[in-house]
Amino acid sequence: MPVSLLRAALLLLFLSGCRTASNHSPPLDPEVAGLLQQLRAAPDDGLATYELAARYAALGENEQALRWMERLEALRWSYGVGDAHFGALARAPEYREVAARLAALHPRVARSRPAFTLAEKALTPEGITYDPVTDTFFVSSIRKRKVVSLARNGQLRDFTGSGQDGLLGVLGMKVDAERRHLWVASYASRGMENAKPEERGHSGLFQYDLRTGGLLRRFALGNQPRANLVNDIALDASGDVFVTNSERGTVSVLRAGTEALVPLMPEGTLPYPNGIALSEDGARLYVAHSQGIASVEPSTGRHTPVRAPPGVLLAGLDGMSIYRGSLIGVQNGFGRGRIVRFHFGADPTRVEREEPLESGNPLFDIPTTGTVVGNTFVYIANSQLRRRGPEGELLPPEQLDETVLLQVALDE
């Protein structure tokens, strides 16, 4: 029997056993049910297997979580596992044993070198962008609800104050170097200081003057009839601003000269869109979502999936950047995270090959986003997004690490 058929048969027996054992149990969690259905159709789907193991861990069903982690090992899953995805289970000896075996399958790529270390520990940074005019980086803070500027000499200062102008937790940002603007995405995160229950589901897009630091415009989005989450930003040469709205499942656009942020495609079109990057010719937006990458026409919203060879995983991407016809991505939706470059050929909607730029780095604690500076990619290595206390509370700064920014050459 071919290996794939044998795996399928074994998985069907495993799933049957799960159903038999749960005949008298409460109804399945909807997310678990969906993943099990997905795996019946594609037994070798490593990402779905990973998500199922993590979901069982979140539900406190540790035995099931460990069984599906072992299934990952049988699939030769080569991305490792991220402790943060498995919550309290990650402290169990049984988990550590399986995680160690999976870690042994994870290839190590060590090309990065230090760029900056930020002394302010309690930032919980998520976004980073670069202003080539002043040679300045900007780093967003979810926890402190602000934006900081970082000079080339490492000097850090507040660009905005905490909560200034109604800022919530700050996510993606983009510099419009020509117009001297900084665009900022913000949302009401549980991980921000002074979070209020009534703010949940609120989000916004902010436009700042880079010369004065003053607020130019604010586009506030409430939580009715559904939550909003403005996540990441892309700009085109004409001044159009594109943002992903993760909760609404769409990309929205603020056309130059207008005052309305409107959906580019129907809500619910994409499953949790996140990172976004505009191609160098301006012909398409690359939008990362939970299942892969979409190529979207900026003028119409028409979209097609980006395809890849077997074994190349396009899911789980956060921040993305364009560099010389390739796509640089921070892949943190599973494992410990990695930095990867996807190379296109003649077809800009089909990846020809992937090039891991950094993988297995012990500093990684949910890397999030990066920015291209010349021929290097500078990125946040340890956002510490899930570093919380046992009740979900924010940890005091002394229990956090300094934020590390790494850089990797793109032309080696």
Side-chain angles (χ1 to χ4, degrees), residues 115-149:
F116 303 98
T117 298
L118 309 187
E120 187 174 356
K121 290 185 176 183
L123 283 176
T124 314
E126 201 279 344
I128 181 172
T129 188
Y130 174 72
D131 179 14
V133 175
T134 60
D135 192 22
T136 302
F137 295 88
F138 294 89
V139 179
S140 71
S141 171
I142 292 178
R143 179 173 177 139
K144 290 294 185 177
R145 306 169 63 159
K146 67 179 182 179
V147 177
V148 297
S149 68

Side-chain angles (χ1 to χ4, degrees), residues 111-113 339 357 375-379 406-410:
R111 291 173 51 179
S112 296
R113 55 191 178 90
I339 313 301
L357 300 177
N375 64 347
T376 65
F377 184 67
V378 181
Y379 63 94
L406 297 179
Q407 58 187 329
V408 58
L410 298 175

Side-chain angles (χ1 to χ4, degrees), residues 49-60:
T49 303
Y50 186 101
E51 291 175 339
L52 184 58
R55 181 58 181 168
Y56 272 128
L59 294 171

Side-chain angles (χ1 to χ4, degrees), residues 345-386:
D347 183 351
T349 66
R350 180 174 178 81
V351 172
E352 287 197 342
R353 65 182 178 91
E354 68 173 5
E355 177 191 2
L357 300 177
E358 189 76 14
S359 177
N361 191 315
L363 286 173
F364 281 3
D365 188 350
I366 312 183
T368 51
T369 60
T371 185
V372 173
V373 182
N375 64 347
T376 65
F377 184 67
V378 181
Y379 63 94
I380 298 168
N382 61 334
S383 68
Q384 306 174 80
L385 283 174
R386 294 188 178 89

Side-chain angles (χ1 to χ4, degrees), residues 12-346:
L12 287 172
L13 286 172
F14 182 73
L15 292 173
S16 298
C18 290
R19 290 196 298 271
T20 300
S22 61
N23 281 342
H24 304 289
S25 300
L28 275 178
D29 170 78
E31 187 173 335
V32 167
L35 289 166
L36 288 173
Q37 182 177 5
Q38 189 174 336
L39 284 165
R40 291 185 190 104
D44 287 353
D45 188 333
L47 181 59
T49 303
Y50 186 101
E51 291 175 339
L52 184 58
R55 181 58 181 168
Y56 272 128
L59 294 171
E61 298 187 33
N62 293 346
E63 184 177 344
Q64 288 281 27
L66 290 167
R67 290 175 70 183
W68 286 99
M69 286 180 66
E70 290 169 350
R71 169 67 183 159
L72 277 176
E73 186 182 4
L75 291 174
R76 307 296 292 174
W77 174 259
S78 61
Y79 300 98
V81 291
D83 294 350
H85 296 146
F86 289 85
L89 176 61
R91 297 191 290 270
E94 301 90 342
Y95 168 90
R96 302 307 315 165
E97 291 176 8
V98 184
R101 296 198 299 269
L102 286 166
L105 300 174
H106 188 190
R108 299 294 193 270
V109 179
R111 291 173 51 179
S112 296
R113 55 191 178 90
F116 303 98
T117 298
L118 309 187
E120 187 174 356
K121 290 185 176 183
L123 283 176
T124 314
E126 201 279 344
I128 181 172
T129 188
Y130 174 72
D131 179 14
V133 175
T134 60
D135 192 22
T136 302
F137 295 88
F138 294 89
V139 179
S140 71
S141 171
I142 292 178
R143 179 173 177 139
K144 290 294 185 177
R145 306 169 63 159
K146 67 179 182 179
V147 177
V148 297
S149 68
L150 177 65
R152 182 65 74 169
N153 65 4
Q155 182 179 2
L156 193 71
R157 69 176 183 86
D158 285 356
F159 179 79
T160 71
S162 295
Q164 176 183 321
D165 308 312
L167 281 172
L168 301 166
V170 185
L171 297 174
M173 303 178 297
K174 282 294 184 298
V175 163
D176 185 335
E178 180 181 346
R179 298 171 181 83
R180 309 306 299 142
H181 295 157
L182 175 68
W183 291 92
V184 174
S186 180
Y187 90 115
S189 165
R190 287 180 62 246
M192 68 185 191
E193 290 183 340
N194 304 314
K196 300 175 183 177
E198 62 269 23
E199 293 174 326
R200 294 300 300 274
H202 287 250
S203 192
L205 176 67
F206 295 71
Q207 180 187 20
Y208 285 96
D209 188 321
L210 280 171
R211 288 162 291 208
T212 68
L215 178 70
L216 297 174
R217 287 186 293 176
R218 172 190 175 193
F219 301 87
L221 302 174
N223 58 4
Q224 298 298 326
R226 290 176 301 282
N228 283 284
L229 200 171
V230 177
N231 201 326
D232 207 354
I233 303 169
L235 310 175
D236 74 4
S238 69
D240 289 351
V241 184
F242 301 89
V243 302
T244 51
N245 190 324
S246 301
E247 291 287 355
R248 295 290 180 102
T250 188
V251 174
S252 294
V253 58
L254 174 68
R255 299 292 182 189
T258 70
E259 294 294 328
L261 190 63
V262 297
L264 184 61
M265 58 184 66
E267 293 185 0
T269 297
L270 299 175
Y272 203 88
N274 191 344
I276 185 170
L278 184 73
S279 62
E280 287 157 316
D281 61 5
R284 63 190 46 80
L285 293 159
Y286 292 106
V287 182
H289 55 80
S290 62
Q291 300 302 314
I293 303 173
S295 171
V296 179
E297 291 184 10
S299 58
T300 66
R302 286 195 292 265
H303 57 94
T304 57
V306 173
R307 296 168 295 159
V312 174
L313 192 56
L314 301 183
L317 288 159
D318 194 338
M320 297 194 302
S321 300
I322 294 292
Y323 181 73
R324 295 188 178 179
S326 66
L327 193 61
I328 313 297
V330 181
Q331 206 163 26
N332 64 10
F334 46 81
R336 290 186 57 83
R338 66 174 187 158
I339 313 301
V340 61
R341 182 176 182 180
F342 296 112
H343 294 268
F344 298 96

